[in-house]
Amino acid sequence: MKVFHLSAECYPVAKVGGLADVVGALPKYQNMAGLQAAVVMPYYNRKFVQENVFDIVFQGATLLGTRRLYFEILKEQTDKLGFELYLVKIPGLLDREEIYSYPDETEQFIAFQLAFLDWISYSQQSPDIIHCHDHHSGLVPFLLQHSKLYTRLANITTIFTIHNGQYHGAFGWDKLSYLPEIDLTKTGLLDWAGGINPLATAVKCCWRYTAVSPTYLRELSISSNGLEYLFYIERAKGSGIINGIDTEVWNPEKDPMITSKFSIKQITKGKQANKEALCTRFSLAPELPLISFIGRLVVEKGADLLAAAMEQSINEHPGKVNFLILGAGDKETEIELLQLKAYYPEQCNVVIGYDEALAHLIYAGSDFLLMPSRVEPCGLNQLYALRYGTMPLVRSTGGLKDTVIDFGDEGGYGIRYDNTSVEDICEAVNRALVLFDNTKQLQALRKIMMTLDFSWDRSAAEYNDLYKSLNPII
Ligand code: ADP
């Protein structure tokens, strides 16, 4: 079964968040299970592209309105990621450094989708599945079925995975001319709330859609930035599949990015060595419980609550708790956190920025990982934390609810709380501090965490079952 994954991100080529981790791992595990999965993404002028060798496998031109765009499809020569990686390069549009935030983002991602479709159309390829991820490739299921240009491809099965339902990629009808000739009786499929909405279009036109956790699938019909009713009426097409983690990249026994590698047998010694390295680097006391946060500093992640919650906890437990934050995002939150660091230099430290290696060390060296998310489609951080014996302290939402069981419940290994509030976070921190003093119980729980299986094998098998249910003869 030949599968093309279409995505704006893919680790290690270009990553902003969990989407990259998923698209960088799922195809690898699908290939191990006997599929032929490949990734197609925009070309970004970044380290991975500069350091690896690519072949030009196709050259063509596509029309974006009246603009003729020449494009190239580049393939990484060695398949070193465990799958074929194709990059769509369009000079002046898809050859920049950043992944998002350009003013012509709409043009970028429409051009990406058109170039992909032109490529497979002109090179006579017939994949069995086109698996689109988030709104950046959300128009593909529509174009396959309702554009005369791609009639030959109209029967290809399309799957759409929602990693983040808050972002829709919506744009105005004035840009309809960017699309190739389409069946104008079908424009209603593009529409949501008076504009062209690629996320809504994908949900309407794909054969099946998935959300990255069963709880998030349900939450989409309660809160999805205006698409709630759509998710409600289309619910028969949806299913929830929890993400896995790439256990080759996230492996405390082999991780080159941490100070001291450790297995479950050396868990106490191993974690302590990483914690000491981390605390020395950030001027924190290694004997105190260390609670960390890694992620985008945005309201979705509850990052706006961090400074107030940390200040309250530090005041409630003077000299008894340390915090470490790694992230970037809303400027106001960044400033608040840096002010807190200046005020309490011995109890908290804050790194504003994106640092993959430091993230690994934080997962390995922290005692607890705080995730006060308002919305968390799946969440990978808690899964990485568990793999490194670090207890997740999470708000009960989306994938956090599906993957973290409170240690007070049967079979539990984490801390969960319900409300998006400073008080609830502080209460969860209080529970963490009490547990920290109960060394024996914490050690036993760490062992449970490290034996949990969130590998891709299980999740990849669920995607494969979904593909097969739609293509029973392959
Ligand atoms: P998101 O909503 O951001 O996609 P996920 O939990 O699905 O959230 O994935 C977040 C991924 O991004 C994890 O691999 C996490 O370690 C990484 N990450 C987020 N922010 C940073 C940062 N500032 N530095 C390093 N890694 C980060």
Side-chain angles (χ1 to χ4, degrees):
M1 195 184 292
K2 171 95 187 160
V3 185
F4 275 125
H5 289 275
L6 296 191
S7 171
E9 300 179 38
C10 172
Y11 179 82
V13 189
K15 169 171 168 178
V16 171
L19 170 63
D21 289 351
V22 172
V23 177
L26 172 61
K28 182 163 79 178
Y29 286 84
Q30 290 180 322
N31 287 343
M32 288 180 207
L35 274 70
Q36 270 181 278
V39 170
V40 187
M41 66 185 295
Y43 177 103
Y44 304 104
N45 192 10
R46 295 166 89 91
K47 198 163 166 253
F48 184 91
V49 170
Q50 290 151 7
E51 289 177 355
N52 289 280
V53 184
F54 290 81
D55 292 324
I56 300 173
V57 293
F58 187 81
Q59 288 179 307
T62 193
L63 274 179
L64 185 76
T66 52
R67 264 169 91 184
R68 179 172 291 277
L69 299 175
Y70 292 94
F71 70 88
E72 287 176 347
I73 305 291
L74 308 180
K75 179 183 174 297
E76 192 274 315
Q77 240 175 27
T78 60
D79 300 343
K80 68 195 290 187
L81 300 181
F83 50 81
E84 293 180 357
L85 170 71
Y86 296 94
L87 308 180
V88 178
K89 184 173 184 183
I90 305 180
L93 203 58
L94 296 182
D95 60 351
R96 304 170 183 167
E97 191 180 339
E98 295 307 321
I99 303 174
Y100 304 120
S101 310
Y102 291 106
D104 55 357
E105 199 171 276
T106 300
E107 286 79 355
Q108 284 186 300
F109 288 116
I110 294 179
F112 164 61
Q113 296 172 81
L114 296 181
F116 164 73
L117 289 170
D118 282 2
W119 167 46
I120 60 165
S121 175
Y122 291 123
S123 57
Q124 294 291 316
Q125 299 189 57
S126 299
D128 302 296
I129 309 271
I130 296 183
H131 191 148
C132 304
H133 297 266
D134 277 350
H135 70 82
H136 320 99
S137 50
L139 296 174
V140 166
F142 171 85
L143 291 170
L144 283 173
Q145 289 162 39
H146 304 298
S147 167
K148 286 187 192 137
L149 217 53
Y150 309 118
T151 315
R152 186 185 70 79
L153 306 170
N155 290 327
I156 296 177
T157 308
T158 51
I159 304 288
F160 182 62
T161 293
I162 300 148
H163 299 259
N164 193 329
Q166 297 298 309
Y167 302 108
H168 303 169
F171 54 92
W173 281 101
D174 54 319
K175 293 186 175 169
L176 177 65
S177 62
Y178 287 167
L179 304 186
E181 194 184 346
I182 55 167
D183 177 351
L184 288 174
T185 65
K186 304 292 182 194
T187 50
L189 293 167
L190 295 168
D191 182 75
W192 197 262
I196 297 178
N197 185 314
L199 190 88
T201 303
V203 171
K204 292 182 208 176
C205 298
C206 68
W207 289 36
R208 290 280 190 283
Y209 68 89
T210 66
V212 288
S213 70
T215 298
Y216 188 56
L217 180 75
R218 286 190 294 278
E219 289 174 353
L220 284 169
S221 28
I222 301 164
S223 167
S224 48
N225 215 2
L227 297 189
E228 297 76 13
Y229 183 60
L230 176 69
F231 282 110
Y232 175 71
I233 52 178
E234 293 283 1
R235 65 193 181 285
K237 264 173 39 179
S239 54
I241 301 179
I242 284 276
N243 290 333
I245 60 172
D246 192 333
T247 45
E248 287 173 23
V249 176
W250 300 94
N251 181 355
E253 286 185 57
K254 295 192 179 145
D255 193 335
M257 295 188 232
I258 64 178
T259 304
S260 174
K261 302 180 182 51
F262 61 98
S263 70
I264 196 162
K265 285 194 193 129
Q266 312 107 21
I267 184 167
T268 309
K269 229 173 111 198
K271 279 196 77 65
Q272 191 57 29
N274 286 299
K275 186 175 179 184
E276 273 167 24
L278 201 54
C279 289
T280 308
R281 183 163 158 191
F282 292 104
S283 314
L284 299 169
E287 62 283 1
L288 297 186
L290 178 60
I291 303 180
S292 301
F293 170 96
I294 300 172
R296 294 180 292 120
L297 298 175
V298 295
V299 170
E300 231 182 309
K301 299 280 178 197
D304 53 314
L305 304 173
L306 281 173
M310 280 162 39
E311 181 159 33
Q312 191 167 315
S313 290
I314 289 171
N315 287 326
E316 271 178 39
H317 309 280
K320 295 245 168 70
V321 59
N322 282 341
F323 289 97
L324 179 59
I325 309 287
L326 167 63
D330 296 342
K331 289 291 159 255
E332 217 171 284
T333 302
E334 289 181 358
I335 291 166
E336 242 181 15
L337 289 167
L338 289 171
Q339 280 170 344
L340 195 78
K341 166 183 165 171
Y343 211 75
Y344 300 97
E346 280 163 19
Q347 285 201 261
C348 89
N349 211 320
V350 175
V351 180
I352 301 297
Y354 186 93
D355 187 336
E356 190 76 25
L358 176 58
H360 282 244
L361 185 60
I362 294 177
Y363 290 121
S366 303
D367 296 300
F368 302 93
L369 187 85
L370 177 59
M371 296 182 73
S373 307
R374 286 189 171 79
V375 185
E376 196 61 79
C378 174
L380 291 169
N381 300 17
Q382 80 280 15
L383 306 182
Y384 299 144
L386 289 166
R387 182 113 169 97
Y388 289 75
T390 296
M391 180 175 275
L393 205 161
V394 306
R395 180 172 166 255
S396 224
T397 184
L400 298 176
K401 198 168 171 180
D402 293 336
T403 56
V404 178
I405 304 175
D406 192 277
F407 78 93
D409 297 333
E410 202 188 328
Y413 43 79
I415 294 179
R416 254 167 63 170
Y417 67 90
D418 287 326
N419 299 309
T420 314
S421 70
V422 169
E423 285 65 35
D424 269 37
I425 297 174
C426 291
E427 191 45 45
V429 169
N430 291 347
R431 288 184 67 204
L433 300 187
V434 173
L435 182 62
F436 185 80
D437 286 336
N438 189 342
T439 317
K440 253 192 170 167
Q441 190 183 7
L442 185 57
Q443 297 304 357
L445 288 168
R446 281 183 175 158
K447 284 195 178 141
I448 296 176
M449 293 177 221
M450 283 188 73
T451 48
L452 296 169
D453 178 11
F454 285 108
S455 68
W456 264 110
D457 297 323
R458 196 183 47 171
S459 312
E462 283 187 57
Y463 280 109
N464 296 354
D465 288 346
L466 177 64
Y467 295 169
K468 281 201 188 115
S469 71
L470 300 168
N471 281 285
I473 47 171
I474 299 169

mmCIF file of all heavy atoms in Angstrom, residues 259-273:
data_model
loop_
_atom_site.group_PDB
_atom_site.id
_atom_site.type_symbol
_atom_site.label_atom_id
_atom_site.label_comp_id
_atom_site.label_asym_id
_atom_site.label_seq_id
_atom_site.Cartn_x
_atom_site.Cartn_y
_atom_site.Cartn_z
ATOM 1 N N THR A 259 22.898 14.184 29.710
ATOM 2 C CA THR A 259 24.224 14.108 30.333
ATOM 3 C C THR A 259 24.573 12.679 30.697
ATOM 4 O O THR A 259 25.695 12.228 30.525
ATOM 5 C CB THR A 259 24.240 14.987 31.607
ATOM 6 O OG1 THR A 259 23.864 16.290 31.212
ATOM 7 C CG2 THR A 259 25.603 15.014 32.264
ATOM 8 N N SER A 260 23.597 11.956 31.251
ATOM 9 C CA SER A 260 23.881 10.599 31.699
ATOM 10 C C SER A 260 22.769 9.681 31.194
ATOM 11 O O SER A 260 21.607 9.851 31.543
ATOM 12 C CB SER A 260 23.946 10.627 33.235
ATOM 13 O OG SER A 260 24.085 9.337 33.723
ATOM 14 N N LYS A 261 23.149 8.718 30.365
ATOM 15 C CA LYS A 261 22.143 7.791 29.828
ATOM 16 C C LYS A 261 21.742 6.826 30.933
ATOM 17 O O LYS A 261 22.578 6.471 31.763
ATOM 18 C CB LYS A 261 22.715 7.033 28.638
ATOM 19 C CG LYS A 261 23.191 7.947 27.507
ATOM 20 C CD LYS A 261 23.755 7.113 26.368
ATOM 21 C CE LYS A 261 24.292 7.924 25.219
ATOM 22 N NZ LYS A 261 25.218 8.989 25.468
ATOM 23 N N PHE A 262 20.497 6.405 30.966
ATOM 24 C CA PHE A 262 20.089 5.484 32.039
ATOM 25 C C PHE A 262 18.952 4.572 31.604
ATOM 26 O O PHE A 262 18.127 4.929 30.771
ATOM 27 C CB PHE A 262 19.685 6.260 33.309
ATOM 28 C CG PHE A 262 18.508 7.200 33.117
ATOM 29 C CD1 PHE A 262 17.218 6.809 33.482
ATOM 30 C CD2 PHE A 262 18.685 8.464 32.576
ATOM 31 C CE1 PHE A 262 16.132 7.677 33.318
ATOM 32 C CE2 PHE A 262 17.602 9.331 32.397
ATOM 33 C CZ PHE A 262 16.329 8.937 32.775
ATOM 34 N N SER A 263 18.957 3.375 32.196
ATOM 35 C CA SER A 263 17.853 2.438 31.970
ATOM 36 C C SER A 263 17.015 2.432 33.243
ATOM 37 O O SER A 263 17.347 3.088 34.237
ATOM 38 C CB SER A 263 18.400 1.044 31.692
ATOM 39 O OG SER A 263 18.946 0.542 32.895
ATOM 40 N N ILE A 264 15.975 1.644 33.212
ATOM 41 C CA ILE A 264 15.090 1.572 34.374
ATOM 42 C C ILE A 264 15.847 1.084 35.615
ATOM 43 O O ILE A 264 15.527 1.469 36.739
ATOM 44 C CB ILE A 264 13.870 0.686 34.032
ATOM 45 C CG1 ILE A 264 12.745 0.880 35.011
ATOM 46 C CG2 ILE A 264 14.236 -0.763 33.909
ATOM 47 C CD1 ILE A 264 11.405 0.395 34.505
ATOM 48 N N LYS A 265 16.894 0.292 35.391
ATOM 49 C CA LYS A 265 17.665 -0.257 36.529
ATOM 50 C C LYS A 265 18.471 0.828 37.245
ATOM 51 O O LYS A 265 18.687 0.748 38.442
ATOM 52 C CB LYS A 265 18.611 -1.355 36.040
ATOM 53 C CG LYS A 265 17.884 -2.642 35.720
ATOM 54 C CD LYS A 265 18.871 -3.789 35.562
ATOM 55 C CE LYS A 265 18.183 -4.975 34.939
ATOM 56 N NZ LYS A 265 18.900 -5.509 33.790
ATOM 57 N N GLN A 266 18.948 1.819 36.462
ATOM 58 C CA GLN A 266 19.752 2.880 37.119
ATOM 59 C C GLN A 266 18.945 4.172 37.209
ATOM 60 O O GLN A 266 19.489 5.266 37.159
ATOM 61 C CB GLN A 266 21.021 3.209 36.330
ATOM 62 C CG GLN A 266 21.856 2.059 35.876
ATOM 63 C CD GLN A 266 21.735 1.839 34.374
ATOM 64 O OE1 GLN A 266 21.357 2.723 33.614
ATOM 65 N NE2 GLN A 266 22.058 0.632 33.938
ATOM 66 N N ILE A 267 17.651 4.031 37.367
ATOM 67 C CA ILE A 267 16.781 5.205 37.266
ATOM 68 C C ILE A 267 17.137 6.307 38.282
ATOM 69 O O ILE A 267 17.214 7.478 37.923
ATOM 70 C CB ILE A 267 15.293 4.773 37.352
ATOM 71 C CG1 ILE A 267 14.370 5.953 37.142
ATOM 72 C CG2 ILE A 267 14.955 4.067 38.609
ATOM 73 C CD1 ILE A 267 12.926 5.541 36.903
ATOM 74 N N THR A 268 17.399 5.915 39.525
ATOM 75 C CA THR A 268 17.660 6.927 40.556
ATOM 76 C C THR A 268 18.957 7.664 40.260
ATOM 77 O O THR A 268 19.004 8.902 40.214
ATOM 78 C CB THR A 268 17.720 6.261 41.948
ATOM 79 O OG1 THR A 268 16.548 5.474 42.098
ATOM 80 C CG2 THR A 268 17.802 7.277 43.068
ATOM 81 N N LYS A 269 20.011 6.872 40.015
ATOM 82 C CA LYS A 269 21.325 7.461 39.733
ATOM 83 C C LYS A 269 21.289 8.285 38.435
ATOM 84 O O LYS A 269 21.797 9.405 38.379
ATOM 85 C CB LYS A 269 22.346 6.326 39.564
ATOM 86 C CG LYS A 269 23.614 6.535 40.375
ATOM 87 C CD LYS A 269 24.488 5.305 40.307
ATOM 88 C CE LYS A 269 25.727 5.652 39.507
ATOM 89 N NZ LYS A 269 26.442 4.509 39.015
ATOM 90 N N GLY A 270 20.657 7.709 37.424
ATOM 91 C CA GLY A 270 20.617 8.355 36.112
ATOM 92 C C GLY A 270 19.879 9.685 36.162
ATOM 93 O O GLY A 270 20.357 10.702 35.668
ATOM 94 N N LYS A 271 18.733 9.682 36.807
ATOM 95 C CA LYS A 271 17.960 10.931 36.854
ATOM 96 C C LYS A 271 18.708 11.985 37.670
ATOM 97 O O LYS A 271 18.740 13.156 37.318
ATOM 98 C CB LYS A 271 16.554 10.685 37.431
ATOM 99 C CG LYS A 271 15.606 10.124 36.377
ATOM 100 C CD LYS A 271 14.151 10.225 36.754
ATOM 101 C CE LYS A 271 13.551 11.606 36.609
ATOM 102 N NZ LYS A 271 13.489 12.094 35.231
ATOM 103 N N GLN A 272 19.330 11.523 38.759
ATOM 104 C CA GLN A 272 20.050 12.459 39.618
ATOM 105 C C GLN A 272 21.194 13.138 38.848
ATOM 106 O O GLN A 272 21.388 14.353 38.946
ATOM 107 C CB GLN A 272 20.583 11.717 40.864
ATOM 108 C CG GLN A 272 21.117 12.630 41.961
ATOM 109 C CD GLN A 272 20.080 13.660 42.463
ATOM 110 O OE1 GLN A 272 18.869 13.416 42.432
ATOM 111 N NE2 GLN A 272 20.566 14.821 42.910
ATOM 112 N N ALA A 273 21.930 12.346 38.043
ATOM 113 C CA ALA A 273 23.065 12.912 37.293
ATOM 114 C C ALA A 273 22.565 13.970 36.299
ATOM 115 O O ALA A 273 23.159 15.041 36.159
ATOM 116 C CB ALA A 273 23.809 11.804 36.562
#
